[in-house]
Amino acid sequence: MAEQSANASEQRKLRKSRYIRINVFFFLVFILFVALVVRLGIVQIVQGEEFTKEVSRTESDYARLPAPRGKMYDRYNRVVVDNESVPAITYTVDKTTKTSDKIKTAKKLSEYINFKSDFLKEELKERDLRDYWLAAHPDEAEELLTEKELTLKPSETYKLQVERVPEKEILAIQNNLKEQKLAYIYKRFSSGYQYEPQVVKSTDLSENEVSIVAENLESLPGVDVITDWGRDYPYDDSLRPIFGGITTPEQGIPSDRQDYFTVRGYPRNERVGKSFLEQQYEDYLNPRKAKVEYISDNSGRIVSEKVVDEGQRGYDLKLSFDIELQMKVDKIVEEELQAARRASGNFLMDRAFVVMMDPFQGDVLAMTGKQIVDGKMQDYAIGAFSSQYEAGSIVKGATVLAGYQDGMPMGERYYDTRMYFAGMPKGKGSYRNLGMVSDLTALQKSSNVYMFYIALRIADETYVRNGSLNITSKDYQTLRNYFAQFGLGVQTGIDLPQESAGLISKPAAGEAGKILDIAIGQFDTYTPLQMAQYVSVIANGGLRVQPRLVTSIHAPIEEPGLGPVAVDKEPKVLNRINNSAAEIERVQQGFKLVTSAGTAKGSVPTSVAGKTGTSETLYYGPNRNYWGKKTNNHNFVGYYPADNPEVAFSIVVPWTVTDTGTNKTIAKRIVEAYAELQEKYVTTTEIEPNNKAKEGE
């Protein structure tokens, strides 16, 4: 009995222990189940939205499409530089694009478009051919590496592959026009960043090419036909060099200015101004491009695209030029240059320049340069501010005013006869002995000797026949400083790049007499624009005004014409010469005598005041066979009307042998053209008054 009772007790303990273990197990299962439910609740309810976004995550990328640049207008609101729409074939790389995709599409596209062989040879560098070969032959490219090299970084292995492309493969591409075309297309495909459309072809793009590419866009992934913008010139070639040029879509940002533009956010394929006004005012003329948003999923596949910014045309420029006057002056210079070339011995005379400007505002009304190259007339307007010539006697107004500044009284008289110095046995003089001359008659008759006396006075030298000259570099600098007040020998400040300051030479040892030559315009050289600025100082009463081509900048509008002013470029006075009003009026009187009773009498209207100039010079033009030949520069500076100047001008005709009076004939004709147009404008156009620049503005 006792044994049975003990067994029953053991059984009860076992059951109790089993129940406890089962309950603990169920409790643990319950706890785990509750934790799982809580976790699922957190994931689904609290973090559900975040995980949903992650699953359907997309990214936005942006591309910019071309927009038209700002226009240019002349002073009477006539459009002189416009825009024209042109088609362009582009290629855009996205995140899923592979090198093999580019090659496949390039081969397909090459069936529809063509390039001239000369163009391909010029555009394709050897590196481009190597890059193309590696992309088109991936298996062969891999064989160029050893097993050990295959473990290097891709950038390192690619550099080795580029170096090891077999020369025979490069030569094969160079001798195969089809392969060259593929290489060029691949180069264009690879020239930009993701979602940055690259222009493959826009120049010389035929309607047939545009049509066939547009019809096959479905089989050309990444390729598109878009509207690009080019420049249009309503007045043909007039002032084209001054307006400047822009890069092609294929050129993009010039390599030598890449840092400048990339810092400003320009993409590499951006069309930018590359010369003169287009370059000078690039920040205003450049448009705000149209902006397209590409939305891609987490696999890189584009799921949608939309235009988020239509873009805007660049700002417009209002220029100082009178395009009608410019065209007339162009024609006059061409006709007179050709006529003078026919004169005996003038075969080296290949160019002529005219600059016309408002002496008070600094507005350049016309800037003409013509040059004959291989028998053909070419525009050389840029030579008016980038090339320099001996000015001759036109500088004598500045010399007389320099004499006044140095203490010479008005009305001072010197005896004009040949002067002799040690080391100069032939002496130096005027074209003939003029006898006693005053400051007025010295200008009227163009006395060299009078100017020599002024130069000696500035150098504190007293003339002694056959005596030596003790001229120092300081003396040269003093005279040149006087001239610089007028803009001679210093940049004018015109709003254009590449302006020359002229050529200021250092006299060689034993050439002390060169200071006399400077006083009559025979040694230093100046640009035609500097000469126009100089005579403007005399015309306006002593102010050196900065020449300007852009008078205002305007916000673009949809309607024809100029929009509201964004930047008003006021006339700017650079300095006042250190002469009294009476002294300046004295020289003005002398300039009137030149045209009424002096060296220009009967050649130009007496309503013109000015100064003629002939400079003896040695030829240093493009025909090297005649370098060193003795020639002359025939120049003229003046202003009209003499008593109330509206326009100042300079005329430079270099390297003549026979004096045909071309400088005077051009002066007469351009003044008549200006006067005729002013009369026409009064009856047909509302002209704004001539607001004269004020000193200090």
Side-chain angles (χ1 to χ4, degrees):
M1 259 323 261
E3 185 177 343
Q4 289 179 343
S5 176
N7 289 336
S9 176
E10 287 292 330
Q11 290 292 327
R12 285 195 297 272
K13 288 181 179 179
L14 287 172
R15 284 196 298 270
K16 185 176 180 180
S17 175
R18 190 180 296 117
Y19 289 149
I20 291 172
R21 288 196 298 269
I22 291 172
N23 287 335
V24 170
F25 175 75
F26 278 118
F27 179 74
L28 292 174
V29 170
F30 174 76
I31 293 299
L32 290 172
F33 181 77
V34 170
L36 180 61
V37 171
V38 171
R39 180 58 182 164
L40 288 173
I42 292 173
V43 170
Q44 188 170 5
I45 299 172
V46 179
Q47 297 178 324
E49 184 177 352
E50 182 179 342
F51 281 102
T52 299
K53 289 181 179 179
E54 182 64 25
V55 171
S56 60
R57 182 173 61 88
T58 60
E59 292 185 0
S60 295
D61 295 280
Y62 298 92
R64 289 173 171 79
L65 300 179
R69 290 172 69 82
K71 301 180 182 181
M72 299 186 198
Y73 294 75
D74 85 337
R75 67 189 297 105
Y76 299 124
N77 298 339
R78 294 173 288 211
V79 178
V80 293
V81 180
D82 207 343
N83 297 299
E84 61 177 354
S85 60
V86 293
I89 296 172
T90 64
Y91 181 78
T92 304
V93 174
D94 62 31
K95 294 177 180 178
T96 64
T97 304
K98 301 176 182 177
T99 300
S100 58
D101 297 330
K102 294 181 183 178
I103 292 295
K104 183 179 178 180
T105 304
K107 289 180 178 179
K108 187 70 174 175
L109 181 60
S110 69
E111 299 174 8
Y112 305 136
I113 61 176
N114 291 298
F115 300 93
K116 295 178 180 178
S117 59
D118 290 343
F119 172 81
L120 293 174
K121 290 178 181 178
E122 183 179 345
E123 291 294 320
L124 287 170
K125 311 304 180 202
E126 184 175 321
R127 175 58 189 266
D128 300 326
L129 303 182
R130 293 177 181 271
D131 289 334
Y132 162 70
W133 188 87
L134 292 172
H137 304 85
D139 295 335
E140 293 91 328
E142 188 172 339
E143 293 175 1
L144 298 175
L145 302 170
T146 65
E147 289 187 11
K148 184 178 180 180
E149 289 170 341
L150 287 170
T151 62
L152 298 174
K153 295 179 181 179
S155 59
E156 295 174 339
T157 59
Y158 190 77
K159 182 179 180 181
L160 293 172
Q161 288 172 311
V162 168
E163 294 172 352
R164 295 172 183 175
V165 174
E167 293 299 324
K168 65 177 183 178
E169 301 294 349
I170 302 300
L171 186 61
I173 298 173
Q174 291 174 336
N175 293 326
N176 188 317
L177 185 59
K178 182 178 179 181
E179 286 291 299
Q180 289 178 42
K181 182 163 62 169
L182 281 170
Y184 177 73
I185 294 174
Y186 177 76
K187 174 186 177 180
R188 297 305 308 154
F189 280 10
S190 306
S191 59
Y193 301 111
Q194 290 178 351
Y195 301 102
E196 186 180 286
Q198 298 300 308
V199 173
V200 180
K201 186 176 183 181
S202 63
T203 307
D204 296 327
L205 188 60
S206 68
E207 292 182 8
N208 183 59
E209 287 175 318
V210 173
S211 176
I212 195 169
V213 171
E215 291 172 1
N216 289 276
L217 288 178
E218 290 186 4
S219 63
L220 297 166
V223 175
D224 200 0
V225 177
I226 68 168
T227 297
D228 196 4
W229 297 91
R231 283 308 212 184
D232 179 56
Y233 303 92
Y235 295 90
D236 299 323
D237 293 333
S238 189
L239 288 172
R240 280 282 292 276
I242 302 298
F243 297 146
I246 57 176
T247 59
T248 66
E250 294 85 355
Q251 292 170 335
I253 295 174
S255 58
D256 59 340
R257 304 189 71 205
Q258 197 165 62
D259 291 343
Y260 173 87
F261 285 113
T262 52
V263 166
R264 288 160 174 76
Y266 281 62
R268 288 187 296 177
N269 67 334
E270 183 80 52
R271 302 185 70 178
V272 299
K274 63 180 180 180
S275 59
F276 303 112
L277 282 176
E278 293 277 14
Q279 176 184 332
Q280 184 79 12
Y281 289 94
E282 167 64 26
D283 290 345
Y284 293 102
L285 292 168
N286 191 267
R288 188 180 77 237
K289 286 193 165 187
K291 191 175 182 181
V292 178
E293 180 184 31
Y294 291 98
I295 300 176
S296 57
D297 58 23
N298 56 0
S299 68
R301 183 175 61 88
I302 296 175
V303 295
S304 69
E305 62 179 85
K306 64 178 179 179
V307 177
V308 295
D309 187 346
E310 296 288 347
Q312 186 182 62
R313 190 178 84 237
Y315 281 68
D316 299 328
L317 306 182
K318 183 169 183 178
L319 307 182
S320 61
F321 292 113
D322 176 347
I323 191 62
E324 194 167 351
L325 176 63
Q326 177 71 43
M327 295 177 73
K328 287 180 178 293
V329 174
D330 284 347
K331 184 179 180 182
I332 291 168
V333 173
E334 285 186 13
E335 291 175 350
E336 295 303 327
L337 179 56
Q338 288 171 332
R341 282 262 294 188
R342 290 192 290 267
S344 176
N346 277 346
F347 62 95
L348 293 176
M349 178 186 169
D350 68 343
R351 64 194 64 188
F353 303 93
V354 170
V355 177
M356 303 181 74
M357 61 185 288
D358 181 325
F360 296 94
Q361 300 277 76
D363 293 355
V364 178
L365 307 179
M367 183 183 287
T368 293
K370 294 296 178 180
Q371 183 179 15
I372 298 174
V373 179
D374 296 329
K376 296 181 180 179
M377 187 72 67
Q378 294 185 0
D379 195 296
Y380 189 36
I382 61 174
F385 59 89
S386 65
S387 63
Q388 53 277 322
Y389 308 90
E390 291 89 346
S393 297
I394 67 167
V395 306
K396 289 176 179 176
T399 304
V400 170
L401 287 165
Y404 296 154
Q405 290 185 37
D406 194 66
M408 183 184 78
M410 289 187 291
E412 180 76 296
R413 295 159 65 86
Y414 293 108
Y415 193 80
D416 184 315
T417 188
R418 200 161 193 82
M419 304 173 75
Y420 294 89
F421 303 91
M424 295 182 233
K426 293 184 179 180
K428 298 177 75 69
S430 302
Y431 57 94
R432 63 178 176 85
N433 292 343
L434 299 175
M436 189 62 69
V437 291
S438 68
D439 45 4
L440 291 182
T441 51
L443 291 173
Q444 174 190 343
K445 298 179 180 181
S446 200
S447 168
N448 289 344
V449 171
Y450 195 94
M451 308 305 151
F452 296 158
Y453 275 109
I454 293 176
L456 293 174
R457 180 190 182 99
I458 290 172
D460 292 326
E461 285 281 293
T462 300
Y463 172 64
V464 176
R465 185 181 176 91
N466 294 322
S468 60
L469 289 173
N470 183 27
I471 305 297
T472 66
S473 59
K474 181 181 178 181
D475 299 325
Y476 281 100
Q477 193 58 52
T478 300
L479 179 57
R480 284 166 170 164
N481 287 344
Y482 285 137
F483 277 24
Q485 295 178 47
F486 299 87
L488 296 172
V490 294
Q491 289 186 333
T492 66
I494 192 171
D495 47 342
L496 283 174
Q498 301 179 29
E499 183 191 4
S500 170
L503 183 61
I504 306 301
S505 302
K506 182 179 180 179
E511 290 188 328
K514 289 298 182 184
I515 196 170
L516 307 179
D517 294 334
I518 293 173
I520 60 171
Q522 295 277 11
F523 185 55
D524 292 348
T525 62
Y526 314 114
T527 68
L529 181 62
Q530 287 174 318
M531 299 180 205
Q533 187 183 52
Y534 145 65
V535 77
S536 293
V537 174
I538 295 173
N540 68 32
L543 301 178
R544 184 166 77 100
V545 183
Q546 180 177 348
R548 59 176 183 170
L549 298 187
V550 174
T551 59
S552 55
I553 301 170
H554 298 254
I557 56 176
E558 294 296 327
E559 300 78 17
L562 287 165
V565 174
V567 178
D568 192 0
K569 293 175 66 66
E570 294 289 335
K572 184 177 181 180
V573 173
L574 300 176
N575 62 268
R576 171 182 279 278
I577 61 173
N578 296 321
N579 290 95
S580 67
E583 290 169 345
I584 297 170
E585 289 172 3
R586 182 82 172 175
V587 171
Q588 290 174 342
Q589 186 180 352
F591 275 24
K592 291 179 184 178
L593 288 172
V594 169
T595 59
S596 63
T599 56
K601 178 183 178 181
S603 300
V604 297
T606 55
S607 54
V608 174
K611 184 72 188 76
T612 58
T614 299
S615 172
E616 296 177 355
T617 185
L618 301 179
Y619 176 77
Y620 50 87
N623 192 335
R624 289 177 175 263
N625 294 328
Y626 292 93
W627 272 22
K629 180 179 174 60
K630 291 183 178 180
T631 58
N632 295 296
N633 296 343
H634 290 284
N635 307 325
F636 198 132
V637 296
Y639 48 89
Y640 165 86
D643 294 323
N644 186 26
E646 296 176 9
V647 60
F649 60 84
S650 69
I651 298 162
V652 179
V653 185
W655 305 327
T656 69
V657 173
T658 303
D659 184 5
T660 60
T662 303
N663 56 335
K664 300 172 187 176
T665 306
I666 291 176
K668 177 178 182 294
R669 293 186 64 185
I670 64 172
V671 167
E672 290 174 347
Y674 173 82
E676 289 171 3
L677 282 175
Q678 296 311 301
E679 185 176 350
K680 170 186 171 183
Y681 292 153
V682 167
T683 59
T684 61
T685 308
E686 187 143 342
I687 305 297
E688 295 181 2
N690 181 19
N691 297 316
K692 298 182 179 180
K694 297 179 181 178
E695 187 175 3
E697 287 184 338

